[in-house]
Amino acid sequence: MAPARHGGAAGISVAELHKIVATLKTALEAGATAAEPPPSPPARSAVPVAPTAQRAELASRFARELEAVGGRFLGILAPAEAAARAVALARELGARSVA
């Protein structure tokens, strides 16, 4: 029997999603015990930066950090897309409620 597939553009299966979450959880737990200090926040720029550029930089940074711990970044979603994907995944999993 083939694994269930999410209907999104990425075509990721539920099993693949569970594996990603488990890998990320393991990496984060291992990182929590490391003696490495947390990264310092970026310095404030004297030149104003557009909110769009800030969001793009945050998404890029998240993608790099996620991939550094073995995750796979699937892209940026608009709020409406994120809601639609969450609803579709909940239906696929047979969730009765979502927190």
Side-chain angles (χ1 to χ4, degrees):
M1 178 175 192
R5 288 260 173 213
H6 174 54
I12 188 168
S13 73
V14 175
E16 291 169 324
L17 181 61
H18 286 293
K19 184 177 179 184
I20 291 168
V21 171
T23 302
L24 183 57
K25 181 180 176 188
T26 301
L28 289 173
E29 288 171 348
T33 60
E36 198 173 299
S40 59
R44 291 265 179 197
S45 175
V47 178
V49 179
T52 304
Q54 289 174 335
R55 284 192 298 271
E57 173 56 30
L58 287 173
S60 177
R61 181 176 175 187
F62 175 76
R64 286 191 307 271
E65 291 178 6
L66 180 62
E67 289 169 359
V69 296
R72 186 173 57 172
F73 186 66
L74 300 177
I76 301 171
L77 301 175
E81 288 177 295
R85 280 198 183 175
V87 168
L89 182 59
R91 283 188 182 133
E92 182 179 327
L93 296 173
R96 295 176 190 255
S97 66
V98 177

